[in-house]
Amino acid sequence: MNKITNYTALVFIVTFTACDSKTKTENTETTSLNNMIFPRGEKITNNNFTGTAWLSNLIQSDSINQNSVGNVTFEPGARTKWHAHPAGQILLVTNGVGYYQEKGGVKKILRKGDVIKCAPNVSHWHGASADTMFVQLAITGREKGETVWMEEVTDADYNN
Amino acid sequence: MNKITNYTALVFIVTFTACDSKTKTENTETTSLNNMIFPRGEKITNNNFTGTAWLSNLIQSDSINQNSVGNVTFEPGARTKWHAHPAGQILLVTNGVGYYQEKGGVKKILRKGDVIKCAPNVSHWHGASADTMFVQLAITGREKGETVWMEEVTDADYNN
């Protein structure tokens, strides 16, 4: 009987180890699928960003509606340069953990569900946290001109 | 030995059955959590909607930015009345299955990741499909006045 008990314990442990790793894998897949609401789009190749970020233009500004809507995915550590929008910007965080800072202000931590209203011509930057990616929708009015890009966000500013 | 083999099979089956249901439960929880990016908000009690819908005002229009952003959750079968926006509207679908129709146009089926740009003063309606809820972000310019509400979407129009 003792032999059977030991044998049972062994089978039990092996089986549960196997199915626990199965659970982790399935949840990771489920999460990654559910996180992809809008396409990641194309890798951003201009020099207005530090690190790797991706942009999908969901809505183009035109004469009918001068707002553009972009889905931006920042890989960990990636961020914009300092910049300003002549008509302001609205950010809606859909996934991950990121940062937002206005010139002279404190660096805010942003998470899924957070929203930001950035006033016109206010210099600011946004991007992912150091170890977690960050996905946001950016709603930008184009009626007063295009984004004004400035200097890079230094590691000192980023890590501050 | 035969006794041990039978006993092993029994333990194996019982354990795997247990951990498979554990997997299903965890995935269901993961999915429902990931679907809730923005708060559902308050139940809409005005008479501009048919059925049950919920609104969370994420961004209020003000003198700095005249766009408002709302997260609207339609329960199955729920929809707006026919209405128009003097400055137009942008819809971003974040979950579920819904419908969008402009006056004189065909009813479009909308799914997670779909986007709509509705021109100013174009009469239209949107809502959930009959058997699936629908969640959308609505970006509405308020600079030319408030939404103009019209007649109810009949079951004939809805089911057409």
Side-chain angles (χ1 to χ4, degrees), chain A residues 1 3-5 7-8 11-12 15-16 18-20 22-24 26-27 30-39 58-62 64-65 67-69 87-95 112-120 137 139 141 143, chain B residues 1 3-5 7-8 11-12 15-16 18-20 22-24 26-27 30-39 58-62 64-65 67-69 87-95 112-120 137 139 141 143:
Chain A
M1 183 58 199
K3 190 176 176 188
I4 292 181
T5 311
Y7 201 79
T8 306
V11 173
F12 193 82
T15 314
F16 244 130
C19 83
D20 189 47
K22 179 186 166 215
T23 306
K24 285 195 180 68
E26 292 193 14
N27 285 349
T30 308
T31 306
S32 66
L33 281 173
N34 282 317
N35 289 344
M36 283 190 56
I37 297 171
F38 302 103
L58 301 178
I59 296 283
Q60 301 277 2
S61 163
D62 58 23
I64 292 173
N65 189 323
N67 289 299
S68 69
V69 182
Q89 186 175 59
I90 290 167
L91 302 177
L92 310 173
V93 181
T94 58
N95 195 29
K112 180 190 280 193
D114 288 341
V115 300
I116 289 284
K117 180 185 286 193
C118 180
L137 292 163
I139 304 162
E143 63 271 27
Chain B
M1 183 58 199
K3 189 177 179 186
I4 292 180
T5 312
Y7 203 78
T8 306
V11 173
F12 193 83
T15 314
F16 244 130
C19 85
D20 188 49
K22 180 185 166 214
T23 306
K24 285 194 179 67
E26 293 193 14
N27 286 348
T30 307
T31 306
S32 64
L33 281 173
N34 282 318
N35 289 345
M36 282 191 55
I37 297 172
F38 301 104
L58 302 178
I59 296 283
Q60 300 277 3
S61 164
D62 59 21
I64 292 173
N65 189 323
N67 290 299
S68 69
V69 182
Q89 187 175 60
I90 291 167
L91 302 177
L92 310 173
V93 181
T94 59
N95 197 29
K112 181 191 280 194
D114 288 341
V115 300
I116 289 283
K117 181 186 286 193
C118 180
L137 292 163
I139 305 162
E143 64 272 27

Side-chain angles (χ1 to χ4, degrees), chain B residues 42 69 74 126 146 156 159:
Chain B
E42 303 300 319
V69 182
F74 296 85
H126 32 118
E146 284 308 310
N159 296 316

Side-chain angles (χ1 to χ4, degrees), chain A residues 36 38-43 53-57 71-73 75:
Chain A
M36 283 190 56
F38 302 103
R40 187 176 65 162
E42 303 300 319
K43 191 171 179 177
W54 306 76
L55 171 65
S56 173
N57 286 310
N71 185 47
V72 189
T73 302
E75 293 187 4

Side-chain angles (χ1 to χ4, degrees), chain B residues 80-100:
Chain B
T80 66
K81 287 185 173 178
W82 288 95
H83 63 286
H85 308 283
Q89 187 175 60
I90 291 167
L91 302 177
L92 310 173
V93 181
T94 59
N95 197 29
V97 182
Y99 299 142
Y100 171 83

Side-chain angles (χ1 to χ4, degrees), chain A residues 71-154:
Chain A
N71 185 47
V72 189
T73 302
F74 297 85
E75 293 187 4
R79 67 262 195 182
T80 66
K81 287 185 174 179
W82 287 95
H83 63 286
H85 307 284
Q89 186 175 59
I90 290 167
L91 302 177
L92 310 173
V93 181
T94 58
N95 195 29
V97 182
Y99 300 141
Y100 171 83
Q101 184 178 22
E102 297 184 352
K103 207 74 169 181
V106 298
K107 184 179 74 176
K108 292 180 182 173
I109 297 175
L110 301 180
R111 293 183 173 83
K112 180 190 280 193
D114 288 341
V115 300
I116 289 284
K117 180 185 286 193
C118 180
N121 304 312
V122 169
S123 180
H124 67 286
W125 67 271
H126 32 119
S129 58
D131 55 6
T132 308
M133 49 90 78
F134 179 62
V135 187
Q136 53 146 74
L137 292 163
I139 304 162
T140 312
R142 305 294 181 179
E143 63 271 27
K144 293 179 181 173
E146 283 308 310
T147 305
V148 178
W149 291 97
M150 304 166 207
E151 74 277 13
E152 194 165 354
V153 176
T154 63

